[in-house]
Amino acid sequence: MHKMQLEDEKTWPVKVVAFLERNEELFRNWKTRFKPIDPKEYDKAITHLRAILRDSDYTLQGYHCTRLTEEEIQSILVKGMSLPSAATLRERIENLRQNGLIDSPTANYLLSKNEADDSNRAGMIWFCFFPPRVEGQLGIERFFRSWGGEALYNSHEDDKLSGHMLTKIGTPCLIEAYIPIESLAYHGGLDFKLIAHFLRNRGLKPDNPIEHEDRAQHKIPAENIIRVIRFHEPDFMKLTGCAKWKPVLS
C-alpha cells in the first residue's frame, strides 16, 4: 500500500512524480495558455495519469466527518467502513433500539423517514483529503451535530423531537483513513487537483481551489483505518477548528 498525502509531494509515488515532471511543460502551458496545446495530447496525458493513479497499490489519506456511538467506533476499527444504504442504516438504528438509546416508536419513525437509498447517497462514503477546517464551520458542522449521517438528519433537523434526539446520540468524530484511489469516482477530478498541487509546488499560483474531496465507492477495510479522532481530543480540535464555533459543538 503506497500511502499518499495530497498536500505532501514527498509522499507521492515515484512513478507519479516522474510522469508529472516529464509532462510539466504540457500541463503548465495548458493551464497558462502560454503556448497552444493540442487538446488530444492533453487528454491523452490525463488518461495516462489517471491510469497510473488508479494502480491498486495507491491510497490517499483523507478524513470523514461524522457522529458515532462508542460501539460504532469500535466496529469501524475492527471491521472497517461499510457503504451506506437503507440496509446499513436499518442495522444502525436497530442497534440503537437494542442498546436502549431510542425506543421502538422512534426507531420506526427514523426508518420510515430518511434518504438512505437515494441514488446520490447510497453506496458512497465521502472524504476530504485536506484538514476539514478548511471548509469552515458552515461546511462541516452538520456532520458532527446529528447522528446518522446526512441521509438521516436531512429528514429530521426541523423536527423538534427526532431532530433534537439525533443531536444527543454519539460523539462527533473524524475518521482518518487511507482510501484506495481505485475506489474513488473515475471522473472525480483527483488527476486535475494533483496537477494543480504539482504546479503550485513549482511556483504556479492556482486560480481555483485545489483541495480535493471525493466519494469512495468500495468498503474501506479495517487495515486502512488510521484512527478515529473523538471530539475534545487535541487533533480533533486542530483539524476542525471547532473551538471557535458558535454555537459551540457538543
Side-chain angles (χ1 to χ4, degrees):
M1 183 192 304
H2 195 113
K3 303 172 181 178
M4 296 176 60
Q5 297 176 26
L6 194 56
E7 294 284 342
D8 185 359
E9 188 177 320
K10 295 191 297 295
T11 68
W12 299 359
V14 172
K15 190 175 181 180
V16 171
V17 177
F19 178 81
L20 291 169
E21 288 177 339
R22 288 198 305 273
N23 291 276
E24 179 180 351
E25 183 178 3
L26 170 69
F27 293 134
R28 185 181 292 273
N29 285 333
W30 180 267
K31 191 69 175 176
T32 62
R33 307 297 180 185
F34 178 74
K35 178 182 177 181
I37 298 295
D38 183 350
K40 291 182 179 179
E41 182 182 3
Y42 176 78
D43 289 345
K44 182 179 179 180
I46 291 294
T47 300
H48 193 172
L49 174 60
R50 193 170 290 166
I52 296 173
L53 286 172
R54 295 183 74 82
D55 184 296
S56 61
D57 189 46
Y58 296 166
T59 64
L60 198 62
Q61 183 178 340
Y63 299 94
H64 178 74
C65 303
T66 188
R67 189 178 182 103
L68 301 168
T69 65
E70 188 59 34
E71 181 179 332
E72 289 174 322
I73 292 172
Q74 296 307 317
S75 177
I76 288 170
L77 292 173
V78 173
K79 300 178 182 178
M81 299 177 70
S82 298
L83 295 177
S85 66
T88 56
L89 180 60
R90 173 177 290 277
E91 182 179 352
R92 295 180 69 197
I93 291 173
E94 289 295 343
N95 285 339
L96 293 185
R97 184 193 335 232
Q98 292 173 13
N99 291 330
L101 295 176
I102 58 175
D103 57 24
S104 290
T106 300
N108 292 334
Y109 183 51
L110 296 178
L111 288 169
S112 71
K113 191 177 180 183
N114 63 74
E115 303 170 355
D117 250 357
D118 285 11
S119 60
N120 63 332
R121 301 193 188 282
M124 307 173 191
I125 311 174
W126 282 90
F127 289 87
C128 60
F129 299 99
F130 53 86
R133 65 174 179 271
V134 172
E135 290 287 353
Q137 179 177 352
L138 291 178
I140 60 175
E141 70 170 324
R142 293 174 70 218
F143 302 124
F144 299 125
R145 292 201 184 274
S146 297
W147 179 88
E150 194 172 24
L152 182 62
Y153 66 66
N154 256 2
S155 302
H156 294 274
E157 281 180 318
D158 295 330
D159 188 309
K160 292 183 179 180
L161 295 179
S162 61
H164 178 71
M165 179 269 300
L166 291 178
T167 68
K168 301 303 177 183
I169 297 172
T171 302
C173 293
L174 281 174
I175 303 173
E176 185 178 23
Y178 286 112
I179 312 307
I181 291 177
E182 66 171 352
S183 77
L184 299 177
Y186 186 77
H187 294 290
L190 174 60
D191 32 29
F192 302 114
K193 296 297 180 67
L194 190 73
I195 292 168
H197 277 276
F198 174 81
L199 293 176
R200 183 196 62 178
N201 294 345
R202 284 151 184 78
L204 182 62
K205 184 178 180 180
D207 53 8
N208 291 300
I210 62 175
E211 292 81 17
H212 186 61
E213 57 184 79
D214 208 342
R215 55 202 182 277
Q217 298 174 311
H218 303 299
K219 180 183 185 296
I220 308 301
E223 57 265 30
N224 285 51
I225 305 297
I226 303 170
R227 56 179 174 161
V228 177
I229 313 170
R230 297 166 177 82
F231 177 49
H232 285 315
E233 291 181 13
D235 279 355
F236 184 96
M237 310 304 284
K238 178 181 178 181
L239 287 164
T240 64
C242 67
K244 299 179 180 179
W245 291 3
K246 293 181 180 179
V248 297
L249 186 61
S250 62

